[in-house]
Amino acid sequence: MYQWKDRARFSEMGEDGRMTLTALMNVFQDCANFQSDSLGVGAEYLAAKKGPG
């Protein structure tokens, strides 16, 4: 399982002191991107695989 350590920022918290759903989804997206990059199949790899058009 891929792991990535980060800290929750104040700007990602709602009024109740919990991370907002939007912030949580952004963390998931970042983690997925970092994992893909670490496996060599990230955005650069996919852009190179994309055919013309």
Side-chain angles (χ1 to χ4, degrees), residues 2-24:
Y2 184 81
Q3 293 184 6
W4 165 51
K5 287 189 176 193
D6 197 16
R7 296 177 79 170
R9 295 164 217 23
F10 184 76
S11 61
E12 297 171 330
M13 300 299 154
E15 292 179 8
D16 59 358
R18 295 180 178 199
M19 184 175 273
T20 65
L21 182 57
T22 300
L24 182 60

Side-chain angles (χ1 to χ4, degrees), residues 1 4 9 12 16 20-21 25 34 37-38 40-41 49:
M1 177 185 352
W4 165 51
R9 295 164 217 23
E12 297 171 330
D16 59 358
T20 65
L21 182 57
M25 296 306 293
F34 297 155
D37 285 340
S38 74
V41 292
K49 286 290 195 181

Side-chain angles (χ1 to χ4, degrees), residues 27-43:
V27 168
F28 287 157
Q29 182 177 9
D30 288 342
C31 190
N33 285 331
F34 297 155
Q35 179 182 20
S36 296
D37 285 340
S38 74
L39 295 172
V41 292

